[in-house]
Amino acid sequence: ETGVTQTPRHLVMGMTNKKSLKCEQHLGHNAMYWYKQSAKKPLELMFVYSLEERVENNSVPSRFSPECPNSSHLFLHLHTLQPEDSALYLCASSQDFEAGGNNQPQHFGDGTRLSIL
Amino acid sequence: SQQGEEDPQALSIQEGENATMNCSYKTSINNLQWYRQNSGRGLVHLILIRSNEREKHSGRLRVTLDTSKKSSSLLITASRAADTASYFCATDAADSSYKLIFGSGTRLLVRP
């Protein structure tokens, strides 16, 4: 139990579907992250929210739409995805000290394995 | 661009042996972190070492940092089959207060 819960664990969807990934953290952290992990590629940061405000958006296609309604929940809304979007999507959280979250450990959920047909 | 680069890409050892993994990076950093990922699971934070530190220990783990060589190593002593996992280093990014840049990882197999 890492304190970060992601649902669903597995998702298969067609390219025309709309679905959402959910992340919830029970650690009292104030920064949350979405990462994409593809086979044989380094982990890619997609979005960062600090205190419910988006602070990073790493040139992610608009077919991925994040939402952070409060500091404990993070969503990733998906629509008209492409086959190359098949990957493991990881959510993480950290405490936001000293002007940034990258000087603190990040706590990851177990991810959603996404397959696009 | 990729910052951390782990070496070797894969490592297979016998239970009880020590495992050493290396990480090299390109630009100056404030801190470097090591993470472990078991198959099908998320990443688990192991150790964070700051740029003014040279060595850090946590149980059977020892991390060193050489900022002059822009490299770090992770040593796992007396390895166990349960240590089988992928290990990643991550560095902070100069252009962001939030971004961690991960390497491609070392896949460690500990044979019983």
Side-chain angles (χ1 to χ4, degrees):
Chain A
E1 178 59 51
T2 66
V4 179
T5 303
Q6 289 188 244
T7 55
R9 290 295 312 276
H10 301 273
L11 179 61
V12 179
M13 57 188 285
M15 288 192 281
T16 58
N17 292 157
K18 289 185 181 181
K19 295 286 185 183
S20 296
L21 310 185
K22 180 183 176 182
C23 176
E24 183 174 0
Q25 60 98 0
H26 309 276
L27 300 168
H29 291 162
N30 54 17
M32 296 187 76
Y33 311 76
W34 278 118
Y35 287 91
K36 177 183 178 182
Q37 188 176 35
S38 305
K40 300 187 192 296
K41 289 176 70 174
L43 211 60
E44 300 172 58
L45 178 66
M46 300 175 73
F47 302 104
V48 181
Y49 278 81
S50 176
L51 298 170
E52 301 146 46
E53 180 182 335
R54 193 190 306 181
V55 295
E56 291 267 349
N57 178 352
N58 274 3
S59 303
V60 178
S62 59
R63 57 185 184 268
F64 295 92
S65 175
E67 179 190 0
C68 187
N70 55 61
S71 59
S72 299
H73 293 87
L74 186 65
F75 295 89
L76 188 63
H77 304 300
L78 317 171
H79 65 97
T80 57
L81 295 192
Q82 304 300 308
E84 62 265 28
D85 298 323
S86 297
L88 181 67
Y89 289 85
L90 291 164
C91 172
S93 69
S94 73
Q95 199 56 280
D96 183 4
F97 291 137
E98 300 173 8
N102 62 4
N103 59 0
Q104 300 295 323
Q106 293 188 10
H107 297 254
F108 286 78
D110 283 334
T112 295
R113 174 68 62 186
L114 177 65
S115 298
I116 306 300
L117 300 179
Chain B
S1 62
Q2 190 168 314
Q3 170 77 313
E5 190 67 45
E6 289 90 345
D7 169 61
Q9 290 187 329
L11 180 61
S12 179
I13 60 173
Q14 201 72 35
E15 203 166 28
E17 294 179 339
N18 295 342
T20 299
M21 287 158 272
N22 302 297
C23 170
S24 59
Y25 56 92
K26 298 189 177 85
T27 62
S28 62
I29 61 171
N30 295 310
N31 67 81
L32 184 145
Q33 305 185 37
W34 284 92
Y35 288 82
R36 183 188 77 232
Q37 184 178 31
N38 291 80
S39 180
R41 305 296 298 274
L43 279 74
V44 175
H45 178 262
L46 297 176
I47 286 185
L48 182 152
I49 186 165
R50 302 195 188 279
S51 59
N52 61 353
E53 298 175 306
R54 290 296 165 259
E55 191 169 307
K56 215 162 179 182
H57 296 254
S58 177
R60 294 182 296 112
L61 305 182
R62 182 171 79 100
V63 167
T64 61
L65 179 63
D66 187 334
T67 53
S68 66
K69 295 181 180 177
K70 292 187 171 59
S71 68
S72 174
S73 67
L74 170 66
L75 169 67
I76 304 174
T77 60
S79 64
R80 305 167 182 167
D83 294 327
T84 294
S86 292
Y87 291 82
F88 298 89
C89 67
T91 56
D92 59 321
D95 61 344
S96 165
S97 297
Y98 295 90
K99 187 184 297 184
L100 281 180
I101 303 179
F102 286 83
S104 299
T106 292
R107 294 188 311 279
L108 173 65
L109 172 65
V110 181
R111 304 185 305 273

